[in-house]
Amino acid sequence: MDAMNASGVPHQSRPPREGMLLSSDEAFVETVTSLWPEDVMHWQVLRSGRAALDIMFVTPPDLLVVDMRLADLPGDAVLRILKSENVYRQICAVLCMDEATLHGGMDWATTEADDFVLLPATVVELRARLELAMLRATRTLDANPLTHLPGNTSILLDIQTRIDRGEDFGLGYADLDNFKAFNDKYGFSRGDEALMMTARIIVNTVRAVASGSSSFVGHVGGDDFVFMLPAALMESACRTIVSRFDAIVPSFYDDDDRARGCIVSTDRQGDVRTFPLMAISIAVVFNHEGCLQHAGEASHRAGQMKKKAKAMPGSSYALDRRCYGDVSSADGTAKGVPPTIPAQRDMYDDSDGMGDEVDGVDGGGNRHGGAHG
């Protein structure tokens, strides 16, 4: 998915989004098509609703702006036909009408528009309404159906937006250890309860730690979560998430498993296997002074760090300090590293693709640093 700026349209270095405008009003067409440069939004203009449907069923646009005053089909009829097919329901559609049409008895229960614009509209209002409609449609389509947290598209967009702004931030990638064994024994319903509990812990912790600062929580899917905070707050958030998770997770197990501290089961080969109680592993990467260039790089580094976190016993977190250099300040902390992160100054060596300038802390508060994974 192309990264977008805060207004919901792509950066000019990205391919333009595709817009379709259905209207025979020349002045309105000129206004809409001039809202963004052509390298940001490419418009296809049609005056016939039926002709537009033929095209959209083959090549659906990112944004559809429909004038109610079409000659062959009313604008709301075009949307009903288009969105009667589920595969096209995700198209962001904005219906444009005059005041007489608005007060003429619109049946909003059957109107398949994501928003409407009352004409005549100013350029500022029109652009704002279309941008908000695109962002709202993206969030709605992207939300995880279980936790309702933002999904992959929103996660990548938020990471890229912070990088493009030159923001210093920490990205935490959290997932659950031994979740599959729990799910297999207790079933999907109880597994969903565990995921909802994890989501609430992360959301409430990030909200409390952020205390008004810029933050974000997303659900990649399954037992994978992402959160972002200012770099100086990341370790405090990780500590709290680990502590709260470990305090609550035993209550999800039956008495015998909880007393034993593990699940004992027999696999398909008839072998008896033991699985510890669920734990949470958090991999943290930082963007400092523009060291990350794109969201893919952040995701790649987080994947590397997740291996470090999972190598530690129980719930744990691992902090990637490659962005911060290897020079200490007078007080013994590494330059640029948030003061809450004690300096463990292992010289960075990336010959194995992992690097060893890493701080890791397990659930018992034991710090692991500088070991190759």
Side-chain angles (χ1 to χ4, degrees):
M1 176 91 182
D2 297 332
M4 295 181 290
N5 59 30
S7 66
V9 294
H11 297 281
Q12 294 187 14
S13 60
R14 310 280 177 172
R17 302 201 84 177
E18 296 296 327
M20 181 175 285
L21 170 61
L22 311 186
S23 179
S24 56
D25 184 329
E26 295 298 337
F28 182 59
V29 168
E30 183 177 352
T31 298
V32 173
T33 55
S34 63
L35 291 175
W36 297 284
E38 289 186 6
D39 59 349
V40 172
M41 180 73 76
H42 174 261
W43 288 100
Q44 183 174 13
V45 179
L46 294 105
R47 289 162 176 77
S48 164
R50 297 187 193 280
L53 286 167
D54 289 339
I55 294 171
M56 285 189 288
F57 283 136
V58 177
T59 312
D62 298 308
L63 171 65
L64 175 61
V65 180
V66 185
D67 194 333
M68 277 288 290
R69 306 162 296 180
L70 297 175
D72 59 341
L73 282 174
D76 57 342
V78 172
L79 296 184
R80 273 196 299 273
I81 295 170
L82 176 67
K83 296 202 174 191
S84 65
E85 301 290 343
N86 282 337
V87 71
Y88 301 109
R89 294 188 68 84
Q90 79 277 8
I91 296 174
C92 179
V94 177
L95 194 59
C96 302
M97 64 190 73
D98 57 24
E99 194 164 349
T101 303
L102 177 65
H103 294 292
M106 287 289 299
D107 183 2
W108 294 109
T110 62
T111 301
E112 295 281 0
D114 297 291
D115 202 348
F116 76 94
V117 173
L118 190 61
L119 301 177
T122 66
V123 170
V124 172
E125 180 186 357
L126 185 57
R127 183 168 53 232
R129 295 297 288 267
L130 296 183
E131 288 173 349
L132 285 172
M134 284 188 285
L135 286 168
R136 186 167 56 249
T138 298
R139 288 194 295 265
T140 301
L141 179 65
D142 190 45
N144 183 274
L146 175 65
T147 61
H148 303 296
L149 289 172
N152 282 321
T153 300
S154 299
I155 291 168
L156 293 174
L157 169 59
D158 197 272
I159 295 171
Q160 190 64 52
T161 299
R162 290 169 188 267
I163 290 173
D164 291 340
R165 288 175 179 165
E167 214 174 287
D168 277 19
F169 68 94
L171 165 66
Y173 190 117
D175 79 340
L176 305 186
D177 305 333
N178 306 309
F179 176 72
K180 184 180 184 304
F182 177 87
N183 223 25
D184 288 346
K185 174 166 183 180
Y186 291 106
F188 291 108
S189 178
R190 216 138 142 195
D192 285 350
E193 291 176 12
L195 294 177
M196 285 296 297
M197 175 270 295
T198 304
R200 285 192 291 269
I201 288 174
I202 295 174
V203 168
N204 291 337
T205 298
V206 168
R207 181 185 295 119
V209 170
S211 189
S213 302
S214 174
S215 63
F216 177 92
V217 179
H219 190 172
V220 177
D223 61 331
D224 295 328
F225 297 86
V226 163
F227 61 96
M228 281 173 270
L229 282 164
L233 303 178
M234 283 302 291
E235 188 167 23
S236 175
C238 289
R239 280 201 202 102
T240 303
I241 291 169
V242 165
S243 174
R244 289 178 176 175
F245 184 91
D246 284 350
I248 294 174
V249 78
S251 65
F252 281 81
Y253 290 81
D254 290 346
D255 291 343
D256 56 344
D257 289 338
R258 185 164 57 248
R260 192 188 301 116
C262 64
I263 290 174
V264 178
S265 63
T266 303
D267 63 21
R268 293 178 181 177
Q269 287 71 41
D271 297 324
V272 176
R273 300 193 61 190
T274 300
F275 299 94
L277 302 189
M278 285 185 291
I280 189 167
S281 295
I282 308 173
V284 180
V285 297
F286 297 100
N287 185 53
H288 179 65
E289 296 181 351
C291 68
L292 296 177
Q293 300 301 310
H294 55 83
E297 182 183 1
S299 298
H300 176 67
R301 287 195 176 193
Q304 292 178 330
M305 295 306 300
K306 187 167 73 166
K307 296 176 184 177
K308 295 281 191 182
K310 284 185 170 294
M312 290 181 278
S315 294
S316 61
Y317 59 91
L319 309 169
D320 182 358
R321 299 177 53 217
R322 283 174 284 183
C323 275
Y324 291 99
D326 60 359
V327 180
S328 290
S329 60
D331 63 359
T333 58
K335 254 187 188 176
V337 178
T340 55
I341 302 176
Q344 290 204 347
R345 297 192 56 254
D346 302 297
M347 296 299 290
Y348 172 50
D349 173 8
D350 200 25
S351 59
D352 62 355
M354 286 291 292
D356 58 14
E357 195 156 315
V358 173
D359 283 339
V361 180
D362 61 33
N366 302 305
R367 185 170 293 274
H368 304 253
H372 287 282

